[in-house]
Amino acid sequence: MLRNIVARLQQGHRTIGFPKTAPTLPDRYRGLPVVDQSKCPDGCRECAAACPTDAIAVTGKDAQLDLGRCLFCTDCVEACPQGAIRYTQDYRLAANRREDLMVPGFKLARALDDKARRLFGHSFKLRQVSAGGCNGCEADVNVLNTVVFDLGRFGIQFVASPRHADGLLITGPVTENMRLALAKTYAAVPAPKLVIAVGACAISGGPYINHPEQHNGASSQLPVDLFVPGCPPHPLTILDGLLRLLGRC
């Protein structure tokens, strides 16, 4: 017992101070991309040609990047001869609407209305559904329960039964094998309920876009209240999105 106490004292406080304290991210972290259209020569489509998910559309000199499709792979950065695209360290990526995930034009998630915040703001239970995910997004969702992030301190918890949940957190592109299971899980959640799509696959299908055995994300099946892009999104990106939705950030 004494050894355990000494070890705990040596370890110190492990839970991060977010959101009161700004997080420290590694230099290699790829956050919100920025497109400098002034550097785009007319007719250049090198970035769009390099993108594996067709996340970039070019019209004349204007390039637009869809965060919902983006894998944050930097193929576009390497392909652009003018250096018009770069990734910042901004981890705040969640949005309320699918159309808000376009860069330029990105709009950060806003809080729910007063009535919804009274219902969910202090106690928010989620049932996580992996609808054909690769386990990347699932792993970064799961890590929110560790002592470092301590999701429970915000009143947010994952529950085993959808009947005990206030909403669903969905990962994966919604494969055909998971389509019915997702629909039944959603039906089992009592109203009012929220749906959160985490990761490129859950938003758009990710690298599997338009594959016949999947359905291009959760919004093809259910109404989605929060989109959290990334492949996978950083745990801080997911946490920031949840807190913004609840008016806690």
Side-chain angles (χ1 to χ4, degrees):
M1 176 62 74
L2 183 58
R3 289 180 179 177
N4 291 338
I5 294 174
V6 170
R8 184 66 185 87
L9 291 173
Q10 290 175 340
Q11 289 175 5
H13 186 74
R14 292 298 183 92
T15 304
I16 60 175
F18 182 84
K20 292 182 179 180
T21 304
T24 301
L25 296 165
D27 292 339
R28 66 180 182 276
Y29 174 74
R30 302 167 189 168
L32 181 68
V34 173
V35 180
D36 186 350
Q37 295 181 339
S38 67
K39 294 182 178 180
C40 296
D42 193 9
C44 180
R45 286 171 170 75
E46 296 295 328
C47 58
C51 183
T53 58
D54 295 328
I56 301 175
V58 180
T59 305
K61 292 182 63 176
D62 295 334
Q64 190 173 52
L65 190 152
D66 183 354
L67 285 178
R69 287 184 173 220
C70 183
L71 304 182
F72 294 74
C73 65
T74 72
D75 284 0
C76 57
V77 176
E78 296 171 7
C80 180
Q82 307 299 326
I85 302 177
R86 64 182 178 87
Y87 285 87
T88 70
Q89 289 243 306
D90 193 346
Y91 58 90
R92 300 168 300 173
L93 301 172
N96 298 108
R97 302 182 303 168
R98 180 68 180 86
E99 55 267 33
D100 291 342
L101 292 174
M102 308 303 292
V103 176
F106 170 69
K107 295 179 181 178
L108 198 58
R110 299 169 298 281
L112 297 166
D113 60 36
D114 292 342
K115 181 179 180 181
R117 289 204 305 274
R118 285 196 297 270
L119 287 171
F120 306 124
H122 297 286
S123 178
F124 189 40
K125 314 297 183 185
L126 290 168
R127 176 66 168 95
Q128 199 273 324
V129 178
S130 178
C134 71
N135 208 38
C137 293
E138 291 83 353
D140 277 356
V141 168
N142 185 60
V143 80
L144 291 175
N145 292 309
T146 64
V147 68
V148 174
F149 299 97
D150 192 13
L151 189 66
R153 64 191 162 119
F154 302 107
I156 306 172
Q157 293 178 318
F158 290 101
V159 293
S161 171
R163 299 189 185 280
H164 301 159
D166 299 309
L168 299 181
L169 188 149
I170 303 169
T171 55
V174 187
T175 58
E176 176 58 26
N177 286 342
M178 283 298 298
R179 182 184 60 81
L180 181 59
L182 177 61
K184 288 184 175 181
T185 304
Y186 179 76
V189 178
K193 48 193 168 184
L194 302 176
V195 175
I196 299 161
V198 172
C201 288
I203 295 173
S204 66
Y208 312 106
I209 289 175
N210 296 327
H211 190 285
E213 288 301 316
Q214 57 83 45
H215 295 276
N216 288 345
S219 57
S220 68
Q221 309 294 310
L222 305 172
V224 176
D225 300 282
L226 185 71
F227 297 89
V228 185
C231 186
H234 192 282
L236 280 170
T237 300
I238 304 170
L239 180 56
D240 178 77
L242 293 173
L243 294 182
R244 287 185 184 280
L245 190 67
L246 300 177
R248 306 281 299 279
C249 188

